[in-house]
Amino acid sequence: MPLARNRGFLLLAAALSLGTGCPPDSSGGGAEPEGARETAPPEAAPADGRLTQRLGFELLRRQAAAGDPRVLISPHGVASALLLAWSGAEGETRRAIGEVVGLPPDADFPAVAAAWRALDGELAGADDQLRLSAASSAWLRREFELLPAYLERLGDLGAVVEALDFTRPEASRRINRWVAERTEGRIPDIVPARIPDETVLYLINALYFHGAWSEPFDPDLTRQEEFHRADGTVEPVPMMRRSGRFAYGESNGSQVVRLPYGDGRLAMHVVLPAAGGLDGWLEELDPAGWSELTGSLSRRQGQVVLPRLRFDYAARLRQALTALGMGVAFTERADFGALAGEPVQITDVIHKGFIEVNEEGTEAAAATAVEIGITSAIPEPPFRFVADRPFFFAVSDGETGTLLFVGIVRAVG
């Protein structure tokens, strides 16, 4: 049956990878898709990375409510993927997706595209001791046609475009290889080996970060200690420790410490809520509170004790995004008239993640797939920050406020 008469699927994927050690070849490996379009970064003020904080906190809160022992969300990655969908949406659908991403109803696409690419450029050049880069691509079934204006918008967002024969196994291998190369293998695949007959387009955004702590933890000081899980059980885990001066704060029994990477602009904040209070603390978390919390830290002498982390995470975000106000995009009332000549709607949003935190730094990866179908003066005493119970963490850019990822840990293993 001709594609024009079938429901099809569009997948948008965003991948985030963070690592430590020697930076890999900046080329990212592998050739760009044939017919790839590369546009120079526009002369524009960077977008405010704080716009997507609400999205990140809401997704984390809703996924945490499901009871998973560990959750990992990439706010910037999810927003980058949704932006590709927003650029092809119209009417109520465009307004709903824009609100979730943090854009006003009257947002002008050229200005948004220029600011978003400028933000990625700002992040990429934030610290020459780190590597942070973004890449976008579009992979379409050869029989499927995107509207010329939408193709131009993909180019404005920096996406490269290639048409493939989706009936051949090489198509999925080609797409997955592109994703794997740009996430240093942490996201080895984002599309199935056999692409469904209904699928007509994949839009992919990949974000990669590679860095180490400004001051690493000494592995010789790491030892097995108890971590008190949220369910009341105890598990032995390797706990890293470092003494020195940190940006540190306390509020209502909760502790927060900032652990910088490279020259210090990008950092991980770790929040240890008052005993037994992670869920309640998450309920109150919002951009204003986050700004107040991170802006009130002061340099203090103390000791930080943090467990090594390594875990995978996967979730479907349709329910959470619907609750955030994007429900119309998942119904037959969805309007993606600026994308193709056939009616389409989002069918689901899939998020995968990986993170490892050790003495050297942080390595993490996340992939988001959005499926769319056709139709002080007085010295203070030293503190001790011991993350031996459930805690929250966030990796962010101190200048733009961009949250690269956020997560919680209720159990280490």
Side-chain angles (χ1 to χ4, degrees):
M1 186 177 295
L3 274 173
R5 298 182 182 180
N6 275 309
R7 306 293 275 182
F9 290 94
L10 164 69
L11 280 84
L12 294 81
L16 166 68
S17 172
L18 294 96
T20 59
C22 297
D25 183 351
S26 62
S27 66
E32 294 291 349
E34 296 176 7
R37 293 187 57 183
E38 289 287 359
T39 58
E43 293 296 329
D48 187 349
R50 295 169 180 80
L51 293 176
T52 59
Q53 288 184 359
R54 172 179 172 269
L55 170 64
F57 294 149
E58 288 287 356
L59 289 178
L60 178 65
R61 178 164 35 245
R62 294 178 185 280
Q63 295 310 123
D68 292 325
R70 295 164 295 275
V71 179
L72 180 66
I73 298 291
S74 168
H76 188 67
V78 174
S80 295
L82 293 178
L83 185 65
L84 297 174
W86 174 84
S87 65
E90 295 182 333
E92 183 185 0
T93 304
R94 184 175 185 274
R95 180 202 58 75
I97 298 176
E99 181 177 348
V100 167
V101 175
L103 301 176
D106 59 350
D108 176 66
F109 173 78
V112 170
W116 200 266
R117 294 201 67 194
L119 173 60
D120 281 338
E122 171 79 4
L123 293 171
D127 183 348
D128 59 11
Q129 298 182 48
L130 309 176
R131 182 184 169 204
L132 180 59
S133 61
S136 296
S137 62
W139 313 82
L140 66 153
R141 187 182 291 270
R142 283 178 178 166
E143 302 91 331
F144 184 71
E145 292 187 6
L146 297 176
L147 295 178
Y150 183 63
L151 284 170
E152 290 185 12
R153 290 189 169 191
L154 289 176
D156 291 340
L157 289 169
V160 295
V161 183
E162 182 174 341
L164 299 172
D165 182 354
F166 280 11
T167 64
R168 297 176 59 84
E170 174 57 27
S172 62
R173 289 198 294 267
R174 174 82 173 96
I175 298 170
N176 288 332
R177 184 168 63 248
W178 187 90
V179 172
E181 287 169 350
R182 281 149 186 81
T183 59
E184 296 302 308
R186 288 305 184 185
I187 307 296
D189 58 71
I190 194 66
V191 304
R194 183 186 181 280
I195 297 176
D197 294 339
E198 305 86 11
T199 302
V200 295
L201 180 65
Y202 293 94
L203 300 181
I204 299 175
N205 175 271
L207 180 67
Y208 178 80
F209 169 84
H210 184 133
W213 303 124
S214 301
E215 296 184 41
F217 290 78
D218 184 349
D220 290 337
L221 299 179
T222 300
R223 60 174 180 261
Q224 291 288 111
E225 295 186 28
E226 292 184 344
F227 183 90
H228 301 268
R229 292 176 169 176
D231 62 7
T233 61
V234 176
E235 61 175 322
V237 302
M239 298 286 277
M240 311 179 297
R241 65 191 60 246
R242 183 162 68 84
S243 297
R245 294 188 64 82
F246 301 85
Y248 171 82
E250 299 175 4
S251 177
N252 299 320
S254 296
Q255 298 175 278
V256 58
V257 66
R258 184 179 189 270
L259 304 175
Y261 301 101
D263 69 7
R265 172 169 168 170
L266 274 71
M268 172 182 284
H269 286 84
V270 185
V271 179
L272 187 63
L278 176 61
D279 291 341
W281 185 85
L282 281 177
E283 283 300 316
E284 301 297 325
L285 180 60
D286 62 16
W290 179 249
S291 178
E292 181 179 354
L293 178 65
T294 57
S296 64
L297 307 185
S298 61
R299 299 286 292 179
R300 292 269 302 276
Q301 182 70 27
Q303 182 185 55
V304 171
V305 182
L306 188 69
R308 284 185 195 154
L309 291 178
R310 183 186 175 96
F311 67 88
D312 298 292
Y313 179 74
R316 292 181 178 272
L317 303 181
R318 173 173 178 164
Q319 185 175 356
L321 290 171
T322 295
L324 288 178
M326 220 180 82
V328 65
F330 296 97
T331 71
E332 293 184 355
R333 294 188 295 110
D335 184 356
F336 287 96
L339 188 152
E342 305 172 61
V344 301
Q345 68 186 70
I346 298 178
T347 58
D348 209 344
V349 178
I350 303 166
H351 194 67
K352 293 183 178 181
F354 166 86
I355 187 167
E356 179 173 5
V357 179
N358 57 31
E359 290 85 353
E360 295 181 357
T362 303
E363 181 178 9
T368 307
V370 182
E371 301 177 351
I372 299 181
I374 294 177
T375 47
S376 94
I378 300 176
E380 298 182 81
F383 68 87
R384 286 198 81 224
F385 184 98
V386 183
D388 61 354
R389 62 178 188 271
F391 61 88
F392 164 93
F393 64 87
V395 171
S396 63
D397 171 44
E399 293 293 327
T400 66
T402 303
L403 290 176
L404 297 178
F405 67 88
V406 296
I408 62 165
V409 175
R410 292 188 175 112
V412 176

